[in-house]
Amino acid sequence: NLAKTYSSPTLGEIFNPARDCSDIVDQLPEAEDGFYWFVLPKSTKHKIWCDVHTDGGGFALVGMKDSPVSWTVPSNSTPVDPQGPPHWSSDLGDVKVLDFRVQFSTDKGFEGTKADWFYRLNPQRKFGNLFSVNNGCPYLQAGIGNISFVKDLSTQSVLTNNFKCSKFGQHVHHMLGWGKMNYCLRHQCKNGYAVLDAIKFRYDNFGSYSYSAVSSFSGMNHNSTAFVGCDNGKCCACFGPKGGRQNYCGPKCTAINGGTVMKSAFVWFWVRTRMAERLWKRCMEFVVKNSAGKLEKHFIDPQTGTAQKGSCSGKLKSVLNEGTLTVSDKESFEKIPDVPGLLSYRKDDKQLYVNQGSNWQALSTEQELQQLKKQIQSQETKIQKQEKKIHSQEKKSQAQKNKTIIQEKKIENQESKIQSQEKKIQDQENKAIILEKKIQSQENMTQKLEKENQDIVKLIDRLHLPTTCSALLIKHPSTPSGLYHLNPQVYCDMTSKNGVGVTVIGHDSESRTFVKGYESPGSYKRKIKYHVSMEQILAIMKQSKNCEQFIKYECYGSVFRFSSVGSYLGWWVSRQGSQMKYWGGAAVNSGKCACGMTNSCAGGGKCNCDKNDKAWREDSGYLTDKNTLPVTELRFGDTGAPSYEKGYYTLGKLRCWG
């Protein structure tokens, strides 16, 4: 009996969809790269481009870009075409993924491919959960983690099984950055993952795909073997030589170790749900001459094992002879039609035959195979003996090498002794020179004592250090900008304010800081910790004629309302702990911001932020009142409801002079 399983030539059509691209590879051996129809996990049909050749095939195209920039690539339900337009598929989020593949090229047709690799994910995960935080990635770093190994498809070699995480970006919120990217793999995102759709504002500077053959992490402040995407605002594609196993890409799109950085590239993203089995099963087909001498196509019936006129399928382009026909005796054997390449086993003589077109040729017997095995074993034994001889010679060579090393060390020791003797001679000569200098020194002793007395006077003068940078500059006019210990140690700016010498005192809240989710008046609190004590600050301010501190608030629907008595929503706190009802650039206790002093505020109010609209506005300026400086605490509210309300504050260093 000849048992066969038929595959439908219509598999992958809309009326006969496949399970995945590996199903196409398994069932259609003549399949080409292209679009096929599939049934998704929710029983919906979708058209997907399949790569049925690379690494055994089974890769589905899920994303395409015509630039390394990752921020603004949309996602939608249109099937992804290798030629564009650029977008991600939003319909495959529930598909379980085994391999995630990244490929980039200098052209649109794959011929200029510079890097092509995939991550084997362990465990498998849904495509919409591709990115995560902490799972294999460093603390509070998001990316593609829990990776079993990385394979380079240009060389068909596994580069590393120690790689843990391709870092995508910083973890800020589960619905921003990486979290929004996961969302876009399940839902349509018109403007990309890094853009706030309501205001079309891009909030992210990261988003990349990379790997390292030598370390556990890549991307975002880490070196990479290959990289494509954006790192800290810089976007590129980077790669090394084919088969290279070093890091060739540094942070912010820099090349290292001879790597190449490209500002333009075409990028494709693929997924594979499982490895293709490639069990191609079909009937056998052959040609024979009829009674009139003409050639006719026949096939072997898979149920009866008999030859029938006709073909297996009009769409099959090649003929495969699979399986072996088993017959009981010579009479049955002679009835088998001549089919080149067909195998037949006779039970009566226990012999395997192959058909050569017009006759049958017996293959090797068991005895012949055993004899061949003995010959192979004999050759293997000879090879093993030869390998032992080579190993023995290598040991002898190593021993000789060790002797040579010992001799070299002895020579080095002799040279060291000679150098030691030469050094002793040189020391004696130096002693003679020193004695001559001592005689000269005695003659100049009186002059040296006088100079030392002058140095002592200068040292005493230095011990009485100025208390401010202005005083230091007056005492030493050529003093440059820098850190000076004036009890305490402070930074002196010797160039600004017409070069009078400005004392600069820093604190722990100098960076621009985001405020969100605090609705009640002053519910957001930030105490300011300066780098020196308040007692030291007061001493510096007392010795200075002027002091200032820059303050800024950037608002989006968030207000101050200094004019509302007793109901301010935001304010700063003086060193005495008092709630201050004015902002930088305005008069003390005026209830205004800088724009209010010139009646130039948006909406005619006393501060720009009091406009309270859906637009970014700013109030900023310098606080100059020495009686209340420095700022010891910042308080804000009105950033909770509606949900769009938010703000950023910036507090500068305390600067005193004069």
Side-chain angles (χ1 to χ4, degrees):
N1 288 329
L2 181 65
K4 291 292 172 184
T5 301
Y6 290 95
S7 60
S8 171
T10 63
L11 186 68
E13 300 290 348
I14 189 170
F15 54 83
N16 187 18
R19 292 181 297 160
D20 51 27
C21 288
S22 295
D23 202 12
I24 297 296
V25 175
D26 287 340
Q27 303 299 329
L28 299 178
E30 283 95 3
E32 299 292 338
D33 296 347
F35 281 112
Y36 297 89
W37 283 91
F38 299 92
V39 177
L40 299 184
K42 293 183 179 180
S43 299
T44 59
K45 295 179 181 179
H46 192 73
K47 188 164 68 171
I48 301 174
W49 182 279
C50 289
D51 176 349
V52 298
H53 296 99
T54 304
D55 195 48
F59 285 104
L61 186 62
V62 295
M64 182 270 175
K65 301 191 299 178
D66 58 4
S67 163
V69 177
S70 56
W71 302 313
T72 54
V73 181
S75 66
N76 53 57
S77 60
T78 303
V80 181
D81 191 306
Q83 302 300 308
H87 70 283
W88 288 90
S89 172
S90 61
D91 289 349
L92 306 178
D94 291 324
V95 173
K96 275 203 168 184
V97 176
L98 174 67
D99 298 325
F100 180 70
R101 172 184 169 195
V102 182
Q103 178 184 10
F104 62 80
S105 171
T106 56
D107 57 49
K108 212 171 186 179
F110 303 135
E111 288 81 3
T113 293
K114 298 300 181 183
D116 192 357
W117 75 90
F118 73 76
Y119 313 102
R120 174 61 54 85
L121 307 179
N122 184 23
Q124 286 185 248
R125 68 204 67 169
K126 291 183 178 181
F127 186 45
N129 297 332
L130 180 64
F131 302 92
S132 60
V133 62
N134 297 336
N135 291 329
C137 297
Y139 179 66
L140 291 182
Q141 300 292 317
I144 304 174
N146 289 343
I147 295 171
S148 179
F149 62 82
V150 178
K151 185 171 183 178
D152 181 359
L153 295 178
S154 66
T155 60
Q156 285 296 310
S157 59
V158 174
L159 295 177
T160 175
N161 55 11
N162 293 319
F163 185 69
K164 304 301 181 187
C165 173
S166 170
K167 295 171 68 174
F168 183 80
Q170 298 173 332
H171 171 58
V172 179
H173 189 272
H174 72 279
M175 274 306 295
L176 296 176
W178 66 273
K180 181 69 177 294
M181 187 65 198
N182 278 347
Y183 174 86
C184 292
L185 296 178
R186 281 194 169 96
H187 306 84
Q188 296 192 25
C189 294
K190 182 179 180 181
N191 298 306
Y193 77 91
V195 175
L196 297 176
D197 295 328
I199 59 174
K200 293 185 178 179
F201 172 73
R202 178 172 67 80
Y203 61 84
D204 204 342
N205 286 325
F206 295 90
S208 62
Y209 308 84
S210 59
Y211 74 89
S212 172
V214 296
S215 58
S216 299
F217 307 107
S218 67
M220 234 188 84
N221 301 323
H222 290 273
N223 294 335
S224 310
T225 301
F227 172 98
V228 62
C230 302
D231 180 15
N232 202 17
K234 303 290 185 180
C235 301
C236 68
C238 177
F239 59 94
K242 183 176 180 180
R245 291 174 178 259
Q246 300 185 53
N247 285 332
Y248 304 102
C249 312
K252 298 183 181 179
C253 287
T254 56
I256 59 176
N257 298 325
T260 301
V261 172
M262 303 188 303
K263 297 301 182 183
S264 61
F266 294 90
V267 191
W268 298 272
F269 301 95
W270 312 79
V271 297
R272 181 161 58 186
T273 59
R274 61 187 178 87
M275 295 298 294
E277 298 175 0
R278 284 195 176 274
L279 298 180
W280 298 353
K281 299 180 179 179
R282 59 184 122 128
C283 71
M284 291 186 291
E285 195 173 279
F286 58 95
V287 176
V288 296
K289 287 184 179 180
N290 60 16
S291 58
K294 293 184 178 181
L295 296 176
E296 289 182 340
K297 188 174 291 186
H298 289 69
F299 68 95
I300 295 181
D301 190 315
Q303 301 299 324
T304 65
T306 60
Q308 302 289 332
K309 188 176 180 179
S311 64
C312 295
S313 171
K315 290 190 177 181
L316 293 180
K317 299 177 182 178
S318 61
V319 178
L320 280 180
N321 290 333
E322 297 185 356
T324 302
L325 288 176
T326 302
V327 295
S328 59
D329 51 30
K330 182 179 180 181
E331 182 179 357
S332 300
F333 178 68
E334 291 175 346
K335 292 180 180 179
I336 300 175
D338 289 327
V339 181
L342 181 64
L343 294 175
S344 179
Y345 178 73
R346 279 176 54 179
K347 291 183 178 180
D348 57 345
D349 63 1
K350 298 181 180 180
Q351 183 68 51
L352 184 65
Y353 297 86
V354 61
N355 189 278
Q356 296 182 335
S358 60
N359 65 303
W360 293 84
Q361 176 66 45
L363 300 180
S364 299
T365 63
E366 176 112 4
Q367 184 177 1
E368 290 171 336
L369 291 174
Q370 291 298 328
Q371 184 64 30
L372 183 59
K373 285 182 179 179
K374 288 181 180 180
Q375 292 177 0
I376 293 172
Q377 290 173 354
S378 176
Q379 289 296 324
E380 289 177 344
T381 302
K382 290 180 180 180
I383 292 171
Q384 289 174 357
K385 289 181 180 179
Q386 192 65 31
E387 288 176 343
K388 287 182 179 179
K389 288 182 180 179
I390 294 172
H391 182 66
S392 176
Q393 290 296 327
E394 288 177 344
K395 289 180 70 176
K396 290 180 180 179
S397 176
Q398 185 61 43
Q400 187 62 39
K401 185 177 179 180
N402 293 338
K403 288 181 180 179
T404 302
I405 293 172
I406 292 172
Q407 290 296 327
E408 290 176 345
K409 287 184 177 179
K410 288 182 178 179
I411 293 171
E412 289 176 356
N413 290 336
Q414 290 296 327
E415 290 177 344
S416 296
K417 289 180 180 179
I418 293 170
Q419 290 175 355
S420 176
Q421 291 297 326
E422 291 176 344
K423 188 176 184 302
K424 288 181 179 179
I425 295 170
Q426 183 64 45
D427 290 341
Q428 292 297 326
E429 293 176 348
N430 291 338
K431 286 181 180 179
I433 294 171
I434 291 171
L435 287 173
E436 292 177 356
K437 289 183 177 180
K438 283 184 177 180
I439 294 171
Q440 182 67 36
S441 171
Q442 291 295 330
E443 295 175 353
N444 299 325
M445 183 62 69
T446 302
Q447 295 177 0
K448 288 184 178 180
L449 289 173
E450 291 176 354
K451 185 177 183 301
E452 287 174 358
N453 287 336
Q454 293 174 359
D455 291 339
I456 291 171
V457 172
K458 291 180 179 179
L459 180 60
I460 293 171
D461 186 57
R462 288 195 193 99
L463 291 175
H464 295 282
L465 292 174
T467 57
T468 69
C469 297
S470 295
L472 176 63
L473 192 61
I474 292 171
K475 190 170 186 178
H476 302 286
S478 61
T479 303
S481 297
L483 286 171
Y484 293 90
H485 192 83
L486 304 181
N487 191 25
Q489 187 180 48
V490 295
Y491 182 85
C492 290
D493 180 358
M494 300 303 192
T495 58
S496 62
K497 303 297 181 183
N498 295 321
V500 301
V502 179
T503 304
V504 182
I505 302 172
H507 54 82
D508 65 349
S509 303
E510 294 175 13
S511 60
R512 180 172 178 256
T513 304
F514 183 64
V515 181
K516 174 73 176 174
Y518 298 87
E519 183 62 20
S520 300
S523 56
Y524 175 89
K525 303 177 182 180
R526 176 67 179 187
K527 289 189 177 294
I528 312 303
K529 183 178 180 181
Y530 288 86
H531 296 164
V532 300
S533 69
M534 187 59 68
E535 179 181 359
Q536 292 168 328
I537 292 174
L538 291 176
I540 291 171
M541 294 177 67
K542 184 176 180 181
Q543 296 296 320
S544 302
K545 293 181 180 179
N546 306 287
C547 289
E548 67 179 17
Q549 191 167 15
F550 179 79
I551 191 169
K552 178 171 71 174
Y553 186 59
E554 299 165 76
C555 51
Y556 192 93
S558 177
V559 301
F560 286 116
R561 290 185 181 166
F562 291 129
S563 59
S564 301
V565 179
S567 61
Y568 318 134
L569 291 172
W571 63 86
W572 63 276
V573 178
S574 70
R575 71 171 184 262
Q576 295 87 358
S578 300
Q579 176 180 324
M580 307 307 293
K581 61 174 183 177
Y582 72 101
W583 204 245
V588 177
N589 295 328
S590 63
K592 299 179 181 180
C593 297
C595 63
M597 302 301 296
T598 58
N599 296 320
S600 60
C601 297
K606 295 184 178 182
C607 293
N608 287 322
C609 287
D610 287 345
K611 176 68 173 176
N612 197 22
D613 57 351
K614 293 182 181 180
W616 281 105
R617 300 192 180 278
E618 174 184 329
D619 287 300
S620 61
Y622 284 91
L623 302 172
T624 59
D625 183 17
K626 286 176 56 180
N627 295 321
T628 54
L629 286 175
V631 175
T632 59
E633 186 179 13
L634 291 171
R635 303 284 293 272
F636 297 98
D638 195 31
T639 61
S643 60
Y644 63 79
E645 293 179 340
K646 54 197 168 188
Y648 288 90
Y649 68 81
T650 304
L651 182 65
K653 303 175 187 290
L654 178 65
R655 298 164 58 87
C656 296
W657 69 93

